[in-house]
Amino acid sequence: MKTKQLLAAALSAATLLASLPAALAADGDAPASRGAVCAALLAAADDYNPDVTAADVMHGDPDGDLRENDPVTRAEALIMLERAFGGLPAPQGDNARKGYPASNFTDVPAWAQAELQNVFDAGIVAGTSATAFSPDEYVTMDQLDLFIHRTYALFGTNLKDDFYAAVNKDWLDRSVIPAGQAQTGTLAEKMYDTEPLNDLIRQAVAHPVGEDAQRIAALYTNILDWDARNAAGIEPIRPYLEAAEAAQSVDEVMAVKKQIAEDFAGSLLAGFSLSADAKDSTRYTVGFSAFSPSLTKEVYAADSGSQKDAYLTYVQKLFEIGGADAQSAAADAQRIWEMEKELSTHALDRQDAGNVDLTYNVYTMDQLKALFPTLDLDDIYAQSGLARSDDQIIVSDAGLLEASPKYFTEEHLDDLKAYLRLSILAGYGGYLSRDFQDAANAYQEDFLGISGTLSDEASATQLIQQYLSDELGRLYAEKYFSEEAKADVEDMVYDFIDIYKDRIRSLDWMSDTTKAKAIEKLDALGVKVGYPDEGKWNDYFKGVTLKTADEGGSYFDNIITMMQAQQQMLIEWQGQPVNKDLWPMAAYTVNACYVPASNEIVFPAGILQAPLYDVNASRERNLGGIGYVIAHEITHAFDNNGAKFDKNGNAADWWTAEDYAAFQQLCDAVAAYYDGVEAAPGITCSGALTLSENIADLGAAQCILEAAQREAAPDLEALFRAVANTWCSTMPRETAAYYATLDVHAQDKLRVNRVLQTLDEFYTTFDITEGDGMWVAPEDRVAIW
């Protein structure tokens, strides 16, 4: 909906508006007049309160003077909105969870309190601050547009005004997030459904026959052996904490770091690692990194509020568990905050983490030594066990790295000591006593709004997934995935690749030269469906024996054994060709991905299940589910990050200069299309942060639509509804707000509404016209692929 368009419609239809001046302020970013707001609200509320009149909405002052040309304030506009819609429904489920908490507003005028209470209770009013409503601030038509869209979502009864909310209304209103979970929904329900994995683990524990079952049984029983974990307390890490606290120089701090590397294969504070080279994906290259802030830039920049308080409380608690008194623990927590806050100002923005132009920074060993004069980098390199490679060392965040050396000085010795102790506590505490887990659960609740905790068994299953993914994945694939499903999904993938080729050939902004390169990349695209073929499992821990408690093993000891095995594996990989047969995801993972370094798409067995994929579902249902996911991952090969990699998975320029400039313009249009759009009251999308995923979503929608239209009689309504069902989800407001600054995906509501609003067929299918909430003018609809 556009309020200026609604104003025109209302002026010709509302019964009382004939007596109002025709010239009413309607500019989107200028203060709106009372008459303009009244007209817009009458049109917006027509489907919800059809008998409402202007007299119901605008009562005038005590003398009956409407003063319709006066600018409208926030308080007045919201009272008028509530009247226009005939009252607002009490929020339920997702709306209640994500509604703006207005209970802290301290500036609501007495004259407006009664009529505004229902509006505040509805959760649609985001204040100008956490405690300020700002009732006398003038409202623009664009701001009114936000209030109206929030109201549409609150009702959720009209497909034309909020498609996502209306299609998913029953589920969203009934939704309950299980204890200990950050979210729930179509995908999340499958992600958190650990019962199939629990069953496999129980069988392994009961009959630990074979290496896979033996390792699973040993680690699982160790995780649940809370008596032993609590009895050990922090003893396994106490010597290192005490040595770090006692250090009198940078050299002594680094000696503790070295001891941890030797004993635990841990790389704290600064270290060298191994990964595939972005510009030559056939070989491994050495990288170097140091400090990394724990939170997003936005949290540090705010430097106040509940998230800062939650983080400081958590860090203080970790220091106290480690033996510090409350006063020194609080001081060190503040020290960590100030250090990470300063470092965050030098770090890459979140949206740049996938930009190879910014993350492929080549340093020589001599340059690093000059940058870190107080460190013995030769010794730190030796701790990694890797062979020396002095001429090319990759740094992924040059700004952050170059801001780090000052903290390796005697002037910042106390900062360095605190950071090392926190790294030990946060890095290893989770394998120790329950008070570490309790502290983490409290932090999750305070920071993200996650209530309750997972059961011990559910937590243990998640940890087995994390550490023994191939062992568990092999058991899962054998029991739960059919060759029929694998073949069917592979056929869908290749169908979409053919559709993509046709769409690329028909592009009017790309030259034939670049089109040929793009099609070559599609022809070379690797496809992994279900699970690895025989002999192509990762098997990181093949030959590694984990010990049960009866055999003298512990959770902590077994994790260290696995870390040491991983370090040895990297040492053996160095100098060998990159093995592109290895899978980046476990077979049971409810997710999918595109891997630029190998130009491949991966669809684990876990995501290939109902409701996303069902061999018995309609073609449209599967297209709107797994089809959307498949086409989304293919499009990642051509998003703003994937487009910088060639058919062999190497960072290389395969575009003509003119074509790439045109592509950049289209990317800018997509970023602008999403930027500032609300997913919940006061929670907006960053177009720059989410650009790559939004490009993939838009490409996916175009592809599944074309696939459906190739059918004899496509049911497009079923297709679009299936898309809305696929991304149906809910999470606490705190989680949604934080994810908006962190997650490169737009929030799920926008992955439905904002995407479908770009498809002309969506408008014709549901008869959406100018003035409806889902309407976007044709010239404002974006597309790339």
Side-chain angles (χ1 to χ4, degrees), residues 99-130:
Y100 193 91
S103 58
N104 293 329
F105 291 159
T106 59
D107 58 348
V108 181
W111 67 267
Q113 285 180 353
E115 285 199 90
L116 281 175
Q117 191 57 55
N118 188 21
V119 181
F120 291 149
D121 290 344
I124 66 168
V125 183
T128 56
S129 77

PDB file of all heavy atoms in Angstrom, residues 99-130:
ATOM      1  N   GLY A  99       5.773  -8.150  19.111  1.00  0.00           N
ATOM      2  CA  GLY A  99       5.239  -6.813  19.289  1.00  0.00           C
ATOM      3  C   GLY A  99       6.183  -5.916  20.069  1.00  0.00           C
ATOM      4  O   GLY A  99       6.976  -6.380  20.894  1.00  0.00           O
ATOM      5  N   TYR A 100       6.085  -4.618  19.792  1.00  0.00           N
ATOM      6  CA  TYR A 100       6.968  -3.676  20.489  1.00  0.00           C
ATOM      7  C   TYR A 100       6.474  -3.493  21.920  1.00  0.00           C
ATOM      8  O   TYR A 100       5.317  -3.158  22.144  1.00  0.00           O
ATOM      9  CB  TYR A 100       6.989  -2.332  19.770  1.00  0.00           C
ATOM     10  CG  TYR A 100       8.107  -1.431  20.244  1.00  0.00           C
ATOM     11  CD1 TYR A 100       9.335  -1.449  19.615  1.00  0.00           C
ATOM     12  CD2 TYR A 100       7.947  -0.606  21.342  1.00  0.00           C
ATOM     13  CE1 TYR A 100      10.381  -0.653  20.049  1.00  0.00           C
ATOM     14  CE2 TYR A 100       8.977   0.206  21.791  1.00  0.00           C
ATOM     15  CZ  TYR A 100      10.189   0.178  21.132  1.00  0.00           C
ATOM     16  OH  TYR A 100      11.220   0.968  21.579  1.00  0.00           O
ATOM     17  N   PRO A 101       7.333  -3.690  22.912  1.00  0.00           N
ATOM     18  CA  PRO A 101       6.913  -3.543  24.319  1.00  0.00           C
ATOM     19  C   PRO A 101       6.798  -2.070  24.695  1.00  0.00           C
ATOM     20  O   PRO A 101       7.797  -1.388  24.890  1.00  0.00           O
ATOM     21  CB  PRO A 101       8.045  -4.235  25.088  1.00  0.00           C
ATOM     22  CG  PRO A 101       9.244  -4.095  24.194  1.00  0.00           C
ATOM     23  CD  PRO A 101       8.741  -4.119  22.789  1.00  0.00           C
ATOM     24  N   ALA A 102       5.583  -1.581  24.772  1.00  0.00           N
ATOM     25  CA  ALA A 102       5.357  -0.157  25.034  1.00  0.00           C
ATOM     26  C   ALA A 102       5.140   0.151  26.510  1.00  0.00           C
ATOM     27  O   ALA A 102       4.861   1.290  26.867  1.00  0.00           O
ATOM     28  CB  ALA A 102       4.150   0.324  24.228  1.00  0.00           C
ATOM     29  N   SER A 103       5.284  -0.846  27.359  1.00  0.00           N
ATOM     30  CA  SER A 103       4.978  -0.634  28.787  1.00  0.00           C
ATOM     31  C   SER A 103       5.942   0.333  29.451  1.00  0.00           C
ATOM     32  O   SER A 103       5.637   0.870  30.525  1.00  0.00           O
ATOM     33  CB  SER A 103       5.006  -1.976  29.525  1.00  0.00           C
ATOM     34  OG  SER A 103       6.281  -2.594  29.384  1.00  0.00           O
ATOM     35  N   ASN A 104       7.106   0.572  28.815  1.00  0.00           N
ATOM     36  CA  ASN A 104       8.093   1.459  29.427  1.00  0.00           C
ATOM     37  C   ASN A 104       7.948   2.912  29.004  1.00  0.00           C
ATOM     38  O   ASN A 104       8.714   3.761  29.453  1.00  0.00           O
ATOM     39  CB  ASN A 104       9.512   0.981  29.081  1.00  0.00           C
ATOM     40  CG  ASN A 104       9.840  -0.352  29.709  1.00  0.00           C
ATOM     41  OD1 ASN A 104       9.347  -0.676  30.783  1.00  0.00           O
ATOM     42  ND2 ASN A 104      10.663  -1.140  29.036  1.00  0.00           N
ATOM     43  N   PHE A 105       6.990   3.214  28.135  1.00  0.00           N
ATOM     44  CA  PHE A 105       6.806   4.602  27.709  1.00  0.00           C
ATOM     45  C   PHE A 105       6.418   5.471  28.913  1.00  0.00           C
ATOM     46  O   PHE A 105       5.480   5.138  29.652  1.00  0.00           O
ATOM     47  CB  PHE A 105       5.726   4.709  26.638  1.00  0.00           C
ATOM     48  CG  PHE A 105       6.113   4.112  25.309  1.00  0.00           C
ATOM     49  CD1 PHE A 105       5.147   3.730  24.397  1.00  0.00           C
ATOM     50  CD2 PHE A 105       7.446   3.938  24.968  1.00  0.00           C
ATOM     51  CE1 PHE A 105       5.489   3.184  23.172  1.00  0.00           C
ATOM     52  CE2 PHE A 105       7.800   3.389  23.739  1.00  0.00           C
ATOM     53  CZ  PHE A 105       6.831   3.011  22.844  1.00  0.00           C
ATOM     54  N   THR A 106       7.118   6.555  29.069  1.00  0.00           N
ATOM     55  CA  THR A 106       6.880   7.417  30.232  1.00  0.00           C
ATOM     56  C   THR A 106       6.273   8.758  29.860  1.00  0.00           C
ATOM     57  O   THR A 106       6.069   9.603  30.733  1.00  0.00           O
ATOM     58  CB  THR A 106       8.212   7.672  30.967  1.00  0.00           C
ATOM     59  OG1 THR A 106       9.141   8.290  30.062  1.00  0.00           O
ATOM     60  CG2 THR A 106       8.800   6.377  31.491  1.00  0.00           C
ATOM     61  N   ASP A 107       5.975   8.966  28.562  1.00  0.00           N
ATOM     62  CA  ASP A 107       5.535  10.294  28.131  1.00  0.00           C
ATOM     63  C   ASP A 107       4.180  10.279  27.424  1.00  0.00           C
ATOM     64  O   ASP A 107       3.923  11.092  26.543  1.00  0.00           O
ATOM     65  CB  ASP A 107       6.592  10.917  27.217  1.00  0.00           C
ATOM     66  CG  ASP A 107       6.883  10.069  25.982  1.00  0.00           C
ATOM     67  OD1 ASP A 107       6.446   8.899  25.947  1.00  0.00           O
ATOM     68  OD2 ASP A 107       7.547  10.573  25.062  1.00  0.00           O
ATOM     69  N   VAL A 108       3.312   9.327  27.799  1.00  0.00           N
ATOM     70  CA  VAL A 108       1.984   9.273  27.189  1.00  0.00           C
ATOM     71  C   VAL A 108       1.097  10.314  27.868  1.00  0.00           C
ATOM     72  O   VAL A 108       0.914  10.277  29.096  1.00  0.00           O
ATOM     73  CB  VAL A 108       1.359   7.875  27.337  1.00  0.00           C
ATOM     74  CG1 VAL A 108      -0.004   7.835  26.664  1.00  0.00           C
ATOM     75  CG2 VAL A 108       2.284   6.812  26.753  1.00  0.00           C
ATOM     76  N   PRO A 109       0.528  11.257  27.122  1.00  0.00           N
ATOM     77  CA  PRO A 109      -0.297  12.299  27.747  1.00  0.00           C
ATOM     78  C   PRO A 109      -1.572  11.725  28.340  1.00  0.00           C
ATOM     79  O   PRO A 109      -2.138  10.752  27.826  1.00  0.00           O
ATOM     80  CB  PRO A 109      -0.591  13.255  26.583  1.00  0.00           C
ATOM     81  CG  PRO A 109      -0.428  12.425  25.349  1.00  0.00           C
ATOM     82  CD  PRO A 109       0.638  11.427  25.657  1.00  0.00           C
ATOM     83  N   ALA A 110      -2.038  12.333  29.383  1.00  0.00           N
ATOM     84  CA  ALA A 110      -3.213  11.830  30.097  1.00  0.00           C
ATOM     85  C   ALA A 110      -4.435  11.772  29.191  1.00  0.00           C
ATOM     86  O   ALA A 110      -5.231  10.824  29.254  1.00  0.00           O
ATOM     87  CB  ALA A 110      -3.484  12.704  31.319  1.00  0.00           C
ATOM     88  N   TRP A 111      -4.580  12.804  28.331  1.00  0.00           N
ATOM     89  CA  TRP A 111      -5.781  12.850  27.489  1.00  0.00           C
ATOM     90  C   TRP A 111      -5.854  11.678  26.501  1.00  0.00           C
ATOM     91  O   TRP A 111      -6.931  11.311  26.038  1.00  0.00           O
ATOM     92  CB  TRP A 111      -5.843  14.163  26.707  1.00  0.00           C
ATOM     93  CG  TRP A 111      -4.762  14.320  25.663  1.00  0.00           C
ATOM     94  CD1 TRP A 111      -3.563  14.923  25.820  1.00  0.00           C
ATOM     95  CD2 TRP A 111      -4.799  13.854  24.307  1.00  0.00           C
ATOM     96  NE1 TRP A 111      -2.823  14.872  24.653  1.00  0.00           N
ATOM     97  CE2 TRP A 111      -3.574  14.220  23.701  1.00  0.00           C
ATOM     98  CE3 TRP A 111      -5.744  13.165  23.536  1.00  0.00           C
ATOM     99  CZ2 TRP A 111      -3.263  13.928  22.380  1.00  0.00           C
ATOM    100  CZ3 TRP A 111      -5.426  12.870  22.216  1.00  0.00           C
ATOM    101  CH2 TRP A 111      -4.208  13.255  21.651  1.00  0.00           C
ATOM    102  N   ALA A 112      -4.687  11.059  26.184  1.00  0.00           N
ATOM    103  CA  ALA A 112      -4.650  10.006  25.171  1.00  0.00           C
ATOM    104  C   ALA A 112      -4.508   8.608  25.743  1.00  0.00           C
ATOM    105  O   ALA A 112      -4.582   7.631  25.001  1.00  0.00           O
ATOM    106  CB  ALA A 112      -3.498  10.274  24.201  1.00  0.00           C
ATOM    107  N   GLN A 113      -4.312   8.496  27.043  1.00  0.00           N
ATOM    108  CA  GLN A 113      -3.972   7.199  27.622  1.00  0.00           C
ATOM    109  C   GLN A 113      -5.035   6.135  27.375  1.00  0.00           C
ATOM    110  O   GLN A 113      -4.725   5.002  27.002  1.00  0.00           O
ATOM    111  CB  GLN A 113      -3.705   7.353  29.113  1.00  0.00           C
ATOM    112  CG  GLN A 113      -2.360   8.002  29.419  1.00  0.00           C
ATOM    113  CD  GLN A 113      -2.101   8.143  30.902  1.00  0.00           C
ATOM    114  OE1 GLN A 113      -2.977   7.877  31.720  1.00  0.00           O
ATOM    115  NE2 GLN A 113      -0.894   8.594  31.248  1.00  0.00           N
ATOM    116  N   ALA A 114      -6.299   6.496  27.563  1.00  0.00           N
ATOM    117  CA  ALA A 114      -7.358   5.492  27.439  1.00  0.00           C
ATOM    118  C   ALA A 114      -7.457   4.957  26.011  1.00  0.00           C
ATOM    119  O   ALA A 114      -7.494   3.739  25.785  1.00  0.00           O
ATOM    120  CB  ALA A 114      -8.694   6.091  27.874  1.00  0.00           C
ATOM    121  N   GLU A 115      -7.472   5.862  25.025  1.00  0.00           N
ATOM    122  CA  GLU A 115      -7.633   5.415  23.643  1.00  0.00           C
ATOM    123  C   GLU A 115      -6.365   4.766  23.089  1.00  0.00           C
ATOM    124  O   GLU A 115      -6.439   3.937  22.189  1.00  0.00           O
ATOM    125  CB  GLU A 115      -8.050   6.591  22.753  1.00  0.00           C
ATOM    126  CG  GLU A 115      -9.510   6.990  22.933  1.00  0.00           C
ATOM    127  CD  GLU A 115     -10.032   7.802  21.749  1.00  0.00           C
ATOM    128  OE1 GLU A 115     -10.546   7.183  20.788  1.00  0.00           O
ATOM    129  OE2 GLU A 115      -9.913   9.036  21.797  1.00  0.00           O
ATOM    130  N   LEU A 116      -5.215   5.149  23.611  1.00  0.00           N
ATOM    131  CA  LEU A 116      -3.973   4.573  23.115  1.00  0.00           C
ATOM    132  C   LEU A 116      -3.639   3.227  23.741  1.00  0.00           C
ATOM    133  O   LEU A 116      -2.809   2.491  23.214  1.00  0.00           O
ATOM    134  CB  LEU A 116      -2.805   5.528  23.360  1.00  0.00           C
ATOM    135  CG  LEU A 116      -2.657   6.688  22.386  1.00  0.00           C
ATOM    136  CD1 LEU A 116      -1.537   7.617  22.824  1.00  0.00           C
ATOM    137  CD2 LEU A 116      -2.404   6.188  20.971  1.00  0.00           C
ATOM    138  N   GLN A 117      -4.270   2.896  24.859  1.00  0.00           N
ATOM    139  CA  GLN A 117      -3.902   1.671  25.552  1.00  0.00           C
ATOM    140  C   GLN A 117      -4.047   0.445  24.663  1.00  0.00           C
ATOM    141  O   GLN A 117      -3.188  -0.435  24.629  1.00  0.00           O
ATOM    142  CB  GLN A 117      -4.738   1.494  26.821  1.00  0.00           C
ATOM    143  CG  GLN A 117      -4.232   0.378  27.732  1.00  0.00           C
ATOM    144  CD  GLN A 117      -2.784   0.598  28.140  1.00  0.00           C
ATOM    145  OE1 GLN A 117      -2.447   1.660  28.673  1.00  0.00           O
ATOM    146  NE2 GLN A 117      -1.916  -0.386  27.902  1.00  0.00           N
ATOM    147  N   ASN A 118      -5.145   0.389  23.901  1.00  0.00           N
ATOM    148  CA  ASN A 118      -5.360  -0.749  23.006  1.00  0.00           C
ATOM    149  C   ASN A 118      -4.296  -0.801  21.921  1.00  0.00           C
ATOM    150  O   ASN A 118      -3.837  -1.884  21.519  1.00  0.00           O
ATOM    151  CB  ASN A 118      -6.752  -0.647  22.367  1.00  0.00           C
ATOM    152  CG  ASN A 118      -7.117  -1.896  21.578  1.00  0.00           C
ATOM    153  OD1 ASN A 118      -6.562  -2.959  21.787  1.00  0.00           O
ATOM    154  ND2 ASN A 118      -8.064  -1.754  20.666  1.00  0.00           N
ATOM    155  N   VAL A 119      -3.866   0.376  21.447  1.00  0.00           N
ATOM    156  CA  VAL A 119      -2.831   0.438  20.423  1.00  0.00           C
ATOM    157  C   VAL A 119      -1.497  -0.060  20.983  1.00  0.00           C
ATOM    158  O   VAL A 119      -0.782  -0.830  20.346  1.00  0.00           O
ATOM    159  CB  VAL A 119      -2.692   1.875  19.888  1.00  0.00           C
ATOM    160  CG1 VAL A 119      -1.629   1.941  18.805  1.00  0.00           C
ATOM    161  CG2 VAL A 119      -4.022   2.374  19.349  1.00  0.00           C
ATOM    162  N   PHE A 120      -1.181   0.389  22.204  1.00  0.00           N
ATOM    163  CA  PHE A 120       0.055  -0.070  22.838  1.00  0.00           C
ATOM    164  C   PHE A 120       0.007  -1.574  23.094  1.00  0.00           C
ATOM    165  O   PHE A 120       0.987  -2.288  22.872  1.00  0.00           O
ATOM    166  CB  PHE A 120       0.296   0.679  24.150  1.00  0.00           C
ATOM    167  CG  PHE A 120       0.646   2.133  23.976  1.00  0.00           C
ATOM    168  CD1 PHE A 120       0.279   3.062  24.934  1.00  0.00           C
ATOM    169  CD2 PHE A 120       1.338   2.572  22.866  1.00  0.00           C
ATOM    170  CE1 PHE A 120       0.592   4.395  24.780  1.00  0.00           C
ATOM    171  CE2 PHE A 120       1.669   3.910  22.704  1.00  0.00           C
ATOM    172  CZ  PHE A 120       1.295   4.824  23.658  1.00  0.00           C
ATOM    173  N   ASP A 121      -1.137  -2.047  23.581  1.00  0.00           N
ATOM    174  CA  ASP A 121      -1.277  -3.478  23.858  1.00  0.00           C
ATOM    175  C   ASP A 121      -1.102  -4.320  22.591  1.00  0.00           C
ATOM    176  O   ASP A 121      -0.654  -5.467  22.658  1.00  0.00           O
ATOM    177  CB  ASP A 121      -2.651  -3.775  24.471  1.00  0.00           C
ATOM    178  CG  ASP A 121      -2.786  -3.230  25.889  1.00  0.00           C
ATOM    179  OD1 ASP A 121      -1.751  -2.899  26.503  1.00  0.00           O
ATOM    180  OD2 ASP A 121      -3.938  -3.123  26.370  1.00  0.00           O
ATOM    181  N   ALA A 122      -1.446  -3.738  21.443  1.00  0.00           N
ATOM    182  CA  ALA A 122      -1.344  -4.462  20.184  1.00  0.00           C
ATOM    183  C   ALA A 122       0.100  -4.641  19.735  1.00  0.00           C
ATOM    184  O   ALA A 122       0.388  -5.458  18.859  1.00  0.00           O
ATOM    185  CB  ALA A 122      -2.133  -3.739  19.094  1.00  0.00           C
ATOM    186  N   GLY A 123       1.029  -3.863  20.330  1.00  0.00           N
ATOM    187  CA  GLY A 123       2.447  -4.022  20.019  1.00  0.00           C
ATOM    188  C   GLY A 123       2.881  -3.407  18.705  1.00  0.00           C
ATOM    189  O   GLY A 123       3.961  -3.727  18.197  1.00  0.00           O
ATOM    190  N   ILE A 124       2.091  -2.497  18.133  1.00  0.00           N
ATOM    191  CA  ILE A 124       2.429  -1.939  16.818  1.00  0.00           C
ATOM    192  C   ILE A 124       3.136  -0.595  16.915  1.00  0.00           C
ATOM    193  O   ILE A 124       3.470  -0.001  15.884  1.00  0.00           O
ATOM    194  CB  ILE A 124       1.177  -1.775  15.936  1.00  0.00           C
ATOM    195  CG1 ILE A 124       0.230  -0.715  16.520  1.00  0.00           C
ATOM    196  CG2 ILE A 124       0.476  -3.102  15.741  1.00  0.00           C
ATOM    197  CD1 ILE A 124      -0.862  -0.303  15.559  1.00  0.00           C
ATOM    198  N   VAL A 125       3.404  -0.115  18.128  1.00  0.00           N
ATOM    199  CA  VAL A 125       4.000   1.205  18.290  1.00  0.00           C
ATOM    200  C   VAL A 125       5.455   1.072  18.725  1.00  0.00           C
ATOM    201  O   VAL A 125       5.741   0.718  19.872  1.00  0.00           O
ATOM    202  CB  VAL A 125       3.232   2.055  19.315  1.00  0.00           C
ATOM    203  CG1 VAL A 125       3.853   3.454  19.383  1.00  0.00           C
ATOM    204  CG2 VAL A 125       1.763   2.147  18.947  1.00  0.00           C
ATOM    205  N   ALA A 126       6.362   1.335  17.800  1.00  0.00           N
ATOM    206  CA  ALA A 126       7.775   1.390  18.150  1.00  0.00           C
ATOM    207  C   ALA A 126       8.083   2.827  18.563  1.00  0.00           C
ATOM    208  O   ALA A 126       7.866   3.762  17.796  1.00  0.00           O
ATOM    209  CB  ALA A 126       8.638   0.988  16.959  1.00  0.00           C
ATOM    210  N   GLY A 127       8.564   3.020  19.773  1.00  0.00           N
ATOM    211  CA  GLY A 127       8.831   4.364  20.253  1.00  0.00           C
ATOM    212  C   GLY A 127      10.054   4.969  19.607  1.00  0.00           C
ATOM    213  O   GLY A 127      10.799   4.310  18.872  1.00  0.00           O
ATOM    214  N   THR A 128      10.274   6.236  19.866  1.00  0.00           N
ATOM    215  CA  THR A 128      11.492   6.883  19.369  1.00  0.00           C
ATOM    216  C   THR A 128      12.701   6.491  20.210  1.00  0.00           C
ATOM    217  O   THR A 128      13.836   6.753  19.835  1.00  0.00           O
ATOM    218  CB  THR A 128      11.318   8.409  19.371  1.00  0.00           C
ATOM    219  OG1 THR A 128      10.964   8.844  20.690  1.00  0.00           O
ATOM    220  CG2 THR A 128      10.213   8.817  18.403  1.00  0.00           C
ATOM    221  N   SER A 129      12.457   5.882  21.363  1.00  0.00           N
ATOM    222  CA  SER A 129      13.500   5.236  22.165  1.00  0.00           C
ATOM    223  C   SER A 129      12.799   4.186  23.008  1.00  0.00           C
ATOM    224  O   SER A 129      11.574   4.018  22.915  1.00  0.00           O
ATOM    225  CB  SER A 129      14.235   6.251  23.046  1.00  0.00           C
ATOM    226  OG  SER A 129      13.454   6.604  24.171  1.00  0.00           O
ATOM    227  N   ALA A 130      13.549   3.500  23.859  1.00  0.00           N
ATOM    228  CA  ALA A 130      12.960   2.426  24.664  1.00  0.00           C
ATOM    229  C   ALA A 130      11.911   2.959  25.637  1.00  0.00           C
ATOM    230  O   ALA A 130      10.999   2.235  26.041  1.00  0.00           O
ATOM    231  CB  ALA A 130      14.052   1.686  25.422  1.00  0.00           C
TER     232      ALA A 130
END
